[in-house]
Amino acid sequence: MKAKIVILLAAVLIIALPFLLRRHETAAPADALDLVIVTPHNEAIRHEFGRAFSKWHAANYGQPVRVDWRAIGGTTEISRYLVSEFLNASRPWWKKLGNDWPATANDSLLDGKFATTNSDSMSQLWKKFRDTDDAKQFSSRVDLFFGGGEYDHSRMAAQGLTVVPWPKGSEPTNLFYAADGTPLIPEKISGETWRTPIMQGNAIATFGICYNTDRLRELGLTNAPTSWEELAQPIYFRQLGVADPTKSASIAAVFELIVQQKCLAAVHAAGFNDAQISAFEKSPTNAPAEYQQAIERGWADGLSLVQRIGANARYFTDSSSKIPVDVGMGNCAAGLCVDFYGRYESQYANASTTNERMGFVIPATGSRVSADPVSLLRGAEHRELAVRFIEFTLSEDGQKIWCYKPGTPGGPEKYALRRIPIRRDFYPSDNPALNARHLEHLKYAADNLADPNINPYAIASRFEYHARWTGKHFGVMRDIVRAMCIDSSDELQKAWPAAALNPEHLAALAKLPTLPEPLTWSSSLTLQKKHDRMDLMLAWTEFYRANYRTLAPRPRRRKLPKTGTLRRPNFQPLESEISNPPSQIPVTGTLHDENFQPLDFVSSVCLLGLLP
Amino acid sequence: MKNRLAHFIFVFAAIIFAVLFLAPLWMVISGGFHDANGFTLKYLAGVFKNPIYAEGLLNSLCIALGTTTLVCLIAIPLAWMANRFDFAGKKLVSALILVPMILPPFVGAIGFQQMLGPYGALNALLGCGPIDWLGQNQYFGVIMLQALGLYPIMYLNAAAALANIDPAMEEAAANIGCRAWRRFFKITLPLTMPGLFAGGTIVFIWSFTELGTPLIMNYTRCAPVQVFDALKEIGSNPFPYALVFVMLTASALLYTASKLLFGRNSYAMQSKAATVSATREVSGLRGALVLLPFALVIFAALTPHLGVILTSVSAPGSWYQTILPASFTSDHFVAALGHDMTISSIRNSLLFSSLAVFFDIILGIAIAFVIVRSDIRGRGILDALAMLPLAVPGLVMAFGYLAISSQISNQEWVKNSPAWQQLFDVRVNPTLFLVIAYSVRRLPYIVRSAVAGLQQTSVTLDEAAANLGAGFLTRLRKITVPLIAANLIAGALLAFAFSMLEVSDSIMLAQRTEFFPITKTIYELFQLIGTGRFIAAALGVWAMAFLAITIAGSSALLGKKLGAIFRA
């Protein structure tokens, strides 16, 4: 009986607790207009933008807005969801017009590269679908896609799912250009597309390195990493958190940047200066053979650098937030991550300590500056309101939400979002009018917008992007990284510590696949067209696995390590290891050591106390 | 059972399966069976030709075998000891032994890392420097973590089966001089086989297709992670669908094979455990010796839970290189439980899960009847089919239900009627689809439990009642269901707890805040940068507490007879 009473009381307490702690939020007024937005953004961003837009709309158009956020996961889920919605919505519409639904429609309707002819029904459907933007005809019943990367928005545009919010020439004044004609939101910057007529970049994501100083100290490193090259040193073996480029277009863009920079280094090393480079890139047919060869070399160098970073990876994750959290907790020594995640986690990791436990840097050689856009979906039921939302997010009022401290005038209410706004007038400028606005924003911003490591215009100016070098290789490089680092990670990690000590092995490690034919900068583009993607990936993966196996030291009989050796040895790197690029790391004996083998299972079980 | 009724139930169950499970599944995996030229088997063949996928399947199989073996080694002795002995602390361990299965999603991983990470509590306790427990030996790590998370399923089924055994059987054996050891293998084990088979197959298929644990351990070379990776990939890749098909077929074949091997001989008993005093009291050192394995298993299995609980009360950044957090706070609980999403999500989860379990019990008993009490052809197919929902990745089912909902709600008759929209359009109200998703995915527990119960119960009891003129429903209500109640409760508890913790369906189908179930709220809170994981951990702790009290409560309040499985 006593037990029953205790259980009953506990149950009552557990159920009552949420009711006792409940906070009442103000519900949207009854006359509010509805707007439906699908987004991968988190609750903080949804809350602040929903609230701020409603307020802005009430002030400018007299009515508040209730944003109906549809949060169904990440961009993969959203993309599938919208494809499914559009196919299911257009089928009854097409049949109602008296047509048959072509058998190939599910595959071809949203294929941006579908070749239309004049007569067949599939072409008719394809064209008619793209000519129709009317909720009464068909609609996904979602108005906007907000957030996600430029890649996702471009893909949806190619699929025909999104439409232009403003007809050409009727864009709101003062949104894209200042009164004196200075661009406020450029269309392109250092290889990144920030806006097109169909999608509007909104906040910027830059990429950098987050690190845990305690872990670095244990590895014998005194300075934080400041370049991608440093992360390729064998001292970081199994210490890096890396995102999976096949699942995140933005991390794929970081790898592209690494390869770009290697191409530039190779072209410089071959004796070409910047003036020559821009001349040759304008008319590549005039470029001498040595110049092309230098790009080929640089491209291979870049992949080799990516390979070595991949060899140091503890994992390739699909979750962008996992890496900074792991670094903050000390599970990884360093990782590649987006600016706001890195800075935010650092703040929290350092909250209860006086020394800097975690930090975040943008590499000195620059970073990608990718935009998170917003796009209007075809057949939006609340089209007018949706277009106003786009206008709001691009206006100064909307941009303040991204970067102001909570509670500041015009800023967010509860959460500091700490995202980097896209508008030029938030950053230092030679233009006095723009700079005056910048100084005003600086007063309330959560981060120092004048910091050249935050200002995306400053970061972008650190390097010039050459589209011909890597632009078309974007897709194929992702597949190479997958085969080279992810699908063959076990073999790579067995080969890497030993190979790192031997220049010959290092060169062998970097060998590019020779099957089905030699992979080079120029062949990679034609290879994709000639072969099925899956066959190609398989051939590459098998090549890499086999290659790594030949480089791995022969397995020795594993002995149960003595208790004292369970602990991983600390590497004591030479000064030169830290300052030199990894290809020139001198041979030392500390790395290939059987102590390095993973902890024995039996000992780990015993230590966990599972086997008494 | 009359064949006409059996046929009716068979057809009814088959239709339900076809509509609620196979149709949404096919909507998604058909992507692996056609290309621009129509139907093709090239992707399916590709799965076998591709050594990477073949390796993944093989690894998954080995993980499943390893996990099931380890689970048996952990759970069967414990269940047996709980059944036989009375010892100090038994009440407490009986209440705690099931708790490891209720680890909330997302924050569970953080719990592991806080305890076992290089700067985690274990290393601080051992003082042995930053050993990366989760970063090496992933293969065995996955098996161990899975076994520690899944043994309650086996324990619950084994305990229910043991509770059903008539002590007279063993006493008879003892009477004619059978020794304890031999008695266990000759009498007890064969009599409990249906229960062990039920638990074992669930654990086997679960660990064969488990995604979460390999992801926590960063182990990528197994089929479920390969499916997940390919599904999450940018662009479209038909292979994951073909791979899901292979995993499903493999699960069905493995299930059928293990049924032929282990599930054949079931011995029904004329009477149930009429005497409850079969336990022996052990005290002093011997009592402690019995308690020790319980304590060790529970402690090891509750490690991540402890991590989640401590995370929920630690100030950000204060649990680092220390055994316990350096400073505590209740802020996360205030933030989590006071959040405007929380109350409605608790209500939603309770509603969706209870409805799903209710639906499962009815369908589960019906299917179990056909499997055990009828001899119609094809009942083996129904049996294997009922296990399949366990083998489908949650993400795939979620895509399937989303597609079905979208197709129905674009019909004119739905578009023009708010009432139909409420029912069929997940954008308007996802209740129907979430209940369907939960009940389909959790049906195997109830079917397996009910089948095990029926196999242990002699049909003659039912026949005797029929002889006396009792109708089918009366017999069901008065004879059969009470006799298998222990098994049903065991299955229903599992189904309820895991429905409350269901992830993929909840995240994708519940799109509007007012319909979020508790797992989606945990996910949303987890996404908040900085304090998110602490607040999510607090809500996770609440969910754990709630489920723990549900389990403890159902054992205490249902009384001795119904709660025989928890007999302390």
Side-chain angles (χ1 to χ4, degrees):
Chain A
M1 196 59 210
K2 218 163 80 186
K4 279 185 196 172
I5 293 173
V6 169
I7 289 173
L8 201 67
L9 283 178
V12 168
L13 181 73
I14 289 170
I15 292 168
L17 211 52
F19 287 93
L20 294 175
L21 293 171
R22 186 179 202 172
R23 290 187 303 265
H24 283 279
E25 304 273 324
T26 42
D31 65 332
L33 300 167
D34 277 311
L35 177 65
V36 187
I37 305 180
V38 65
T39 180
H41 281 317
N42 68 15
E43 158 69 14
I45 294 177
R46 300 203 299 263
H47 174 85
E48 295 301 346
F49 269 93
R51 184 198 55 85
F53 176 58
S54 177
K55 201 173 153 195
W56 178 86
H57 196 268
N60 288 292
Y61 298 93
Q63 252 181 312
V65 180
R66 176 176 44 232
V67 179
D68 181 357
W69 296 104
R70 298 292 162 83
I72 59 165
T75 43
T76 333
E77 284 87 357
I78 292 174
S79 166
R80 263 167 224 270
Y81 170 71
L82 289 175
V83 164
S84 159
E85 287 300 319
F86 273 103
L87 285 176
N88 286 329
S90 53
R91 198 179 300 119
W93 158 74
W94 187 242
K95 285 184 178 163
K96 212 172 159 188
L97 293 178
N99 304 295
D100 285 331
W101 185 250
T104 53
N106 286 354
D107 291 321
S108 306
L109 178 58
L110 304 182
D111 178 0
K113 290 187 185 134
F114 178 75
T116 52
T117 58
N118 284 326
S119 52
D120 74 332
S121 64
M122 186 57 237
S123 301
Q124 303 262 325
L125 168 61
W126 195 90
K127 282 186 245 172
K128 184 86 179 163
F129 177 86
R130 279 163 178 73
D131 287 341
T132 312
D133 175 23
D134 178 358
K136 290 195 193 76
Q137 303 297 319
F138 64 86
S139 169
S140 66
R141 282 192 277 167
V142 179
D143 301 319
L144 289 164
F145 171 36
F146 181 38
E150 176 264 324
Y151 181 88
D152 307 292
H153 285 259
S154 294
R155 205 164 71 114
M156 277 190 204
Q159 288 174 318
L161 307 187
T162 51
V163 291
V164 177
W166 299 288
K168 202 171 164 45
S170 67
E171 297 91 353
T173 46
N174 301 334
L175 206 52
F176 299 121
Y177 296 95
D180 64 354
T182 317
L184 289 173
I185 304 177
E187 288 174 27
K188 274 180 186 293
I189 189 163
S190 82
E192 301 281 357
T193 305
W194 276 9
R195 69 178 171 94
T196 66
I198 211 166
M199 59 159 214
Q200 323 296 329
N202 215 301
I204 300 301
T206 57
F207 283 83
I209 303 168
C210 56
Y211 54 87
N212 183 305
T213 46
D214 294 323
R215 290 310 308 258
L216 293 182
R217 203 175 316 116
E218 271 165 18
L219 297 176
L221 294 165
T222 43
N223 293 322
T226 53
S227 69
W228 309 115
E229 273 87 355
E230 280 173 72
L231 298 182
Q233 296 174 105
I235 199 161
Y236 282 104
F237 184 54
R238 287 194 186 149
Q239 295 291 343
L240 296 186
V242 184
D244 182 344
T246 58
K247 298 191 201 112
S248 148
S250 37
I251 199 72
V254 173
F255 286 139
E256 187 196 354
L257 166 96
I258 291 174
V259 174
Q260 236 338 286
Q261 290 175 344
K262 280 290 175 188
C263 288
L264 184 68
V267 173
H268 279 161
F272 298 97
N273 60 31
D274 288 342
Q276 286 170 303
I277 293 172
S278 19
F280 292 146
E281 287 309 315
K282 265 193 200 106
S283 49
T285 41
N286 294 339
E290 298 88 62
Y291 180 79
Q292 292 295 350
Q293 284 155 7
I295 297 173
E296 295 264 3
R297 268 200 312 279
W299 191 75
D301 282 353
L303 285 180
S304 160
L305 178 56
V306 170
Q307 178 188 46
R308 282 172 280 138
I309 292 176
N312 284 335
R314 206 178 121 104
Y315 53 70
F316 288 88
T317 176
D318 68 305
S319 148
S320 44
S321 60
K322 180 176 162 72
I323 294 164
V325 168
D326 268 340
V327 170
M329 287 167 71
N331 296 331
C332 297
L336 279 62
C337 77
V338 195
D339 52 57
F340 58 96
Y341 274 122
R343 295 201 179 100
Y344 230 112
E345 277 301 331
S346 302
Q347 181 196 329
Y348 280 91
N350 299 334
S352 55
T353 164
T354 45
N355 24 353
E356 192 197 36
R357 185 185 293 167
M358 181 178 172
F360 173 82
V361 287
I362 299 280
T365 44
S367 165
R368 293 301 296 241
V369 280
S370 336
D372 279 7
V374 54
S375 296
L376 177 65
L377 289 163
R378 187 176 294 281
E381 281 177 333
H382 315 99
R383 194 180 200 285
E384 196 183 13
L385 201 56
V387 173
R388 284 180 197 156
F389 182 85
I390 299 178
E391 186 185 340
F392 166 70
T393 59
L394 299 174
S395 69
E396 273 188 82
D397 286 335
Q399 296 270 300
K400 287 173 186 171
I401 306 296
W402 288 122
C403 63
Y404 272 26
K405 286 180 215 153
T408 49
E413 173 196 62
K414 261 166 59 181
Y415 304 99
L417 304 182
R418 297 185 71 174
R419 297 291 311 263
I420 298 177
I422 198 166
R423 278 173 70 108
R424 188 69 187 84
D425 49 4
F426 278 68
Y427 303 100
S429 170
D430 296 337
N431 181 324
L434 262 54
N435 204 47
R437 294 307 304 146
H438 156 67
L439 292 173
E440 175 70 14
H441 296 310
L442 198 56
K443 281 190 223 158
Y444 306 110
D447 289 292
N448 179 7
L449 298 173
D451 183 339
N453 279 318
I454 289 178
N455 177 352
Y457 295 88
I459 294 171
S461 70
R462 289 189 206 157
F463 82 106
E464 194 181 347
Y465 178 89
H466 299 288
R468 194 175 66 97
W469 293 356
T470 54
K472 283 188 182 153
H473 299 72
F474 192 73
V476 73
M477 281 198 302
R478 272 203 329 243
D479 288 349
I480 297 172
V481 172
R482 172 158 202 123
M484 179 171 76
C485 303
I486 302 173
D487 284 343
S488 50
S489 64
D490 290 5
E491 290 79 5
L492 175 58
Q493 296 208 331
K494 283 202 182 91
W496 164 236
L501 306 167
N502 181 333
E504 253 173 58
H505 283 190
L506 213 51
L509 193 76
K511 240 179 14 191
L512 287 168
T514 47
L515 292 171
E517 50 192 279
L519 175 67
T520 62
W521 175 71
S522 39
S523 81
S524 63
L525 295 178
T526 51
L527 267 173
Q528 268 185 312
K529 289 183 190 122
K530 270 196 278 184
H531 300 273
D532 179 70
R533 177 172 167 246
M534 291 296 152
D535 293 342
L536 212 52
M537 296 260 314
L538 178 59
W540 289 344
T541 309
E542 289 192 314
F543 168 86
Y544 276 114
R545 285 188 178 185
N547 186 35
Y548 296 153
R549 274 192 210 112
T550 61
L551 293 167
R554 293 279 154 92
R556 294 176 222 175
R557 277 184 68 84
R558 278 167 72 180
K559 281 177 263 166
L560 202 73
K562 288 179 218 125
T563 4
T565 55
L566 275 176
R567 181 175 170 174
R568 271 190 47 193
N570 281 346
F571 306 138
Q572 294 301 329
L574 303 175
E575 270 305 305
S576 52
E577 275 185 8
I578 300 161
S579 50
N580 284 353
S583 55
Q584 291 149 30
I585 285 181
V587 180
T588 58
T590 47
L591 277 173
H592 68 165
D593 187 327
E594 71 218 57
N595 284 340
F596 204 69
Q597 290 207 339
L599 189 66
D600 194 85
F601 176 58
V602 179
S603 11
S604 53
V605 172
C606 294
L607 274 170
L608 271 174
L610 296 174
L611 296 182
Chain B
M1 166 173 225
K2 283 202 189 93
N3 260 359
R4 202 155 43 98
L5 185 65
H7 276 121
F8 172 75
I9 295 177
F10 182 87
V11 170
F12 178 73
I15 291 174
I16 289 207
F17 254 92
V19 173
L20 302 186
F21 174 63
L22 296 178
L25 179 66
W26 181 247
M27 301 255 337
V28 180
I29 65 170
S30 59
F33 291 90
H34 72 89
D35 58 7
N37 307 318
F39 185 79
T40 176
L41 288 175
K42 73 174 178 195
Y43 301 120
L44 190 63
V47 168
F48 293 102
K49 272 194 257 165
N50 188 329
I52 298 170
Y53 290 133
E55 181 196 11
L57 280 168
L58 189 69
N59 285 339
S60 287
L61 187 64
C62 294
I63 288 178
L65 283 172
T67 306
T68 313
T69 313
L70 199 54
V71 160
C72 288
L73 290 178
I74 295 174
I76 297 175
L78 291 185
W80 183 78
M81 285 195 290
N83 184 260
R84 282 310 136 92
F85 302 119
D86 264 333
F87 49 92
K90 184 174 174 183
K91 275 214 168 107
L92 185 68
V93 294
S94 309
L96 285 177
I97 192 97
L98 299 176
V99 175
M101 71 182 181
I102 46 176
L103 184 63
F106 311 108
V107 289
I110 295 290
F112 272 114
Q113 284 162 353
Q114 281 291 6
M115 300 303 281
L116 302 179
Y119 288 170
L122 181 69
N123 285 341
L125 184 72
L126 297 175
C128 58
I131 300 175
D132 194 354
W133 298 94
L134 296 171
Q136 44 205 344
N137 258 316
Q138 281 104 334
Y139 191 79
F140 294 107
V142 169
I143 290 180
M144 205 150 76
L145 293 189
Q146 283 192 359
L148 285 175
L150 294 180
Y151 81 85
I153 295 178
M154 188 70 183
Y155 179 88
L156 203 48
N157 278 289
L162 283 167
N164 279 348
I165 291 184
D166 185 354
M169 298 281 181
E170 297 190 334
E171 283 162 17
N175 260 349
I176 54 171
C178 185
R179 301 233 162 206
W181 203 239
R182 197 173 147 83
R183 213 157 64 220
F184 178 75
F185 282 103
K186 284 280 167 187
I187 309 288
T188 318
L189 205 58
L191 284 175
T192 43
M193 212 50 192
L196 302 188
F197 178 76
T201 44
I202 288 179
V203 169
F204 184 84
I205 296 184
W206 183 310
S207 51
F208 182 59
T209 55
E210 161 76 5
L211 174 69
T213 318
L215 281 185
I216 290 176
M217 292 295 295
N218 302 309
Y219 182 75
T220 53
R221 292 193 181 184
C222 55
V225 178
Q226 287 172 335
V227 169
F228 176 76
D229 272 350
L231 281 177
K232 281 270 184 179
E233 205 175 277
I234 309 164
S236 53
N237 176 353
F239 274 95
Y241 308 122
L243 197 54
V244 167
F245 182 80
V246 174
M247 274 166 66
L248 273 176
T249 318
S251 301
L253 289 177
L254 288 167
Y255 171 73
T256 313
S258 58
K259 194 175 162 188
L260 291 176
L261 275 174
F262 304 110
R264 265 276 162 92
N265 305 319
S266 58
Y267 304 94
M269 288 159 288
Q270 295 289 338
S271 64
K272 287 266 166 162
T275 46
V276 273
S277 55
T279 52
R280 205 169 82 204
E281 200 150 325
V282 284
S283 56
L285 192 65
R286 294 172 75 184
L289 224 62
V290 175
L291 184 65
L292 185 71
F294 279 94
L296 281 177
V297 167
I298 292 173
F299 183 74
L302 285 182
T303 305
H305 304 69
L306 201 60
V308 176
I309 293 171
L310 287 172
T311 301
S312 72
V313 290
S314 66
S318 74
W319 194 14
Y320 182 83
Q321 295 178 322
T322 50
I323 301 172
L324 292 173
S327 71
F328 292 92
T329 172
S330 59
D331 290 357
H332 309 315
F333 275 94
V334 175
L337 298 180
H339 202 283
D340 52 344
M341 288 190 282
T342 302
I343 294 237
S344 61
S345 73
I346 291 170
R347 193 194 57 220
N348 291 334
S349 268
L350 285 177
L351 177 73
F352 302 155
S353 306
S354 321
L355 284 175
V357 170
F358 176 72
F359 184 68
D360 274 350
I361 288 180
I362 294 174
L363 194 62
I365 294 178
I367 292 177
F369 248 93
V370 174
I371 294 173
V372 181
R373 292 282 163 86
S374 83
D375 52 3
I376 62 170
R377 278 176 189 216
R379 64 185 200 280
I381 297 175
L382 191 63
D383 191 8
L385 204 59
M387 288 303 279
L388 283 189
L390 266 186
V392 187
L395 204 56
V396 169
M397 283 318 288
F399 282 137
Y401 288 121
L402 211 51
I404 294 258
S405 160
S406 149
Q407 228 168 44
I408 298 177
S409 51
N410 271 298
Q411 305 290 327
E412 286 298 321
W413 54 277
V414 180
K415 261 192 197 165
N416 301 328
S417 147
W420 286 126
Q421 282 184 8
Q422 282 287 338
L423 198 60
F424 288 121
D425 195 339
V426 290
R427 294 170 298 192
V428 179
N429 186 338
T431 304
L432 176 72
F433 278 90
L434 277 174
V435 170
I436 290 175
Y438 288 2
S439 49
V440 166
R441 283 178 60 75
R442 301 309 168 201
L443 182 66
Y445 304 118
I446 305 223
V447 171
R448 283 273 66 80
S449 303
V451 165
L454 286 178
Q455 280 177 343
Q456 283 187 311
T457 315
S458 172
V459 72
T460 49
L461 298 170
D462 194 47
E463 286 165 357
N467 262 349
L468 294 170
F472 177 71
L473 284 179
T474 316
R475 268 154 34 217
L476 193 69
R477 193 161 49 87
K478 295 244 163 146
I479 309 286
T480 315
V481 168
L483 280 171
I484 61 168
N487 305 74
L488 286 179
I489 292 169
L493 271 183
L494 287 176
F496 181 76
F498 288 121
S499 292
M500 291 279 290
L501 301 174
E502 177 78 47
V503 179
S504 299
D505 307 322
S506 310
I507 290 180
M508 290 194 63
L509 295 174
Q511 302 179 0
R512 299 165 72 164
T513 322
E514 64 256 46
F515 294 111
F516 283 2
I518 203 158
T519 38
K520 175 134 190 184
T521 304
I522 293 178
Y523 169 80
E524 288 294 342
L525 295 174
F526 192 71
Q527 299 289 312
L528 296 174
I529 314 172
T531 53
R533 63 178 188 273
F534 301 96
I535 300 174
L539 188 56
V541 169
W542 186 89
M544 284 198 288
F546 176 78
L547 287 174
I549 210 78
T550 310
I551 292 175
S554 53
S555 92
L557 297 177
L558 286 173
K560 270 227 161 93
K561 207 161 184 194
L562 282 180
I565 44 169
F566 304 107
R567 212 167 39 189

